């Protein structure tokens, strides 16, 4: 599955076998595209959806130290539910942090509170900036769902 870059907050990808263009399953049949919105000002401005589900593949988005990370993880959970998935389906997370030296422990604590038992593969990297200067963290999650 090819990763798409989103410009704001949380990302989530729920995966299966999809052709590189992500519009057709491996068998070549067209899939219905279900867009899930959260009605933030960024969605229409930047041109993205909070989540997009095509078959059993979901892509999601949102962001921000501890309180921001908790809200982001809550947004991911909400988008997963709307897409027919659960946090237990998450197999990978990526955390993009503006100041990793200052904030990694707070963000890691929030991540651990949600994923302690699930233990997905995880990456935390520092980035220069996010779309809004108030954003301190952006989190992506990939989940696998059946059917």
């Amino acid at each position: 599955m090819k990763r798409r870059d989103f410009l704001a907050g949380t990302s989530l990808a729920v995966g299966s076998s999809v052709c590189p263009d992500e519009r057709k399953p491996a068998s070549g049949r067209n899939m219905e595209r279900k867009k899930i919105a959260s009605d933030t000002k960024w969605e229409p401005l930047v041109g993205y959806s909070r989540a997009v589900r095509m078959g059993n593949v979901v892509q999601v988005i949102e962001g921000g130290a501890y309180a921001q990370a908790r809200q982001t993880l809550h947004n991911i959970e909400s988008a997963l539910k709307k897409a027919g998935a659960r946090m237990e389906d998450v197999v990978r997370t990526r955390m993009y942090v503006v100041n990793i030296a200052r904030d990694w422990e707070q963000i890691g604590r929030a991540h651990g509170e949600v994923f302690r038992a699930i233990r997905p593969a995880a990456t935390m990297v520092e980035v220069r900036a996010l779309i809004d200067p108030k954003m301190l963290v952006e989190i992506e999650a990939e989940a696998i769902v059946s059917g």
Side-chain angles (χ1 to χ4, degrees):
M1 179 172 59
K2 186 166 117 180
R3 182 177 162 260
R4 302 266 187 211
D5 291 323
F6 295 100
L7 295 177
T10 310
S11 269
L12 158 73
V14 180
S16 72
S17 61
V18 174
C19 291
D21 72 3
E22 294 184 9
R23 284 174 280 182
K24 296 180 184 177
S27 65
R29 290 175 281 132
N30 286 330
M31 288 185 167
E32 178 183 342
R33 181 182 182 101
K34 179 182 178 186
K35 293 182 259 182
I36 300 166
S38 64
D39 302 320
T40 66
K41 68 179 183 178
W42 297 110
E43 290 175 33
L45 182 66
V46 177
Y48 70 88
S49 297
R50 181 65 48 207
V52 176
R53 180 171 181 159
M54 295 176 69
N56 65 345
V57 175
V58 181
Q59 296 277 340
V60 188
I61 221 150
E62 185 70 28
Y66 177 78
Q68 290 183 14
R70 287 294 300 186
Q71 182 61 50
T72 299
L73 292 162
H74 173 76
N75 294 348
I76 288 172
E77 183 175 30
S78 177
L80 277 169
K81 284 180 183 176
K82 290 177 184 176
R86 308 168 305 146
M87 293 300 263
E88 291 81 3
D89 298 322
V90 173
V91 296
R92 178 158 204 13
T93 60
R94 291 175 189 88
M95 295 162 273
Y96 302 97
V97 183
V98 175
N99 187 332
I100 202 165
R102 180 191 68 205
D103 296 334
W104 78 267
E105 289 181 86
Q106 292 178 41
I107 294 163
R109 181 168 47 102
H111 186 276
E113 289 170 3
V114 172
F115 291 112
R116 189 165 325 284
I118 300 164
R119 309 272 310 255
T123 302
M124 183 184 291
V125 297
E126 184 170 291
V127 296
R128 187 171 148 210
L130 297 169
I131 195 164
D132 185 325
K134 294 180 232 162
M135 290 174 61
L136 303 176
V137 61
E138 174 180 328
I139 300 174
E140 289 183 347
E142 295 180 23
I144 309 271
V145 295
S146 59

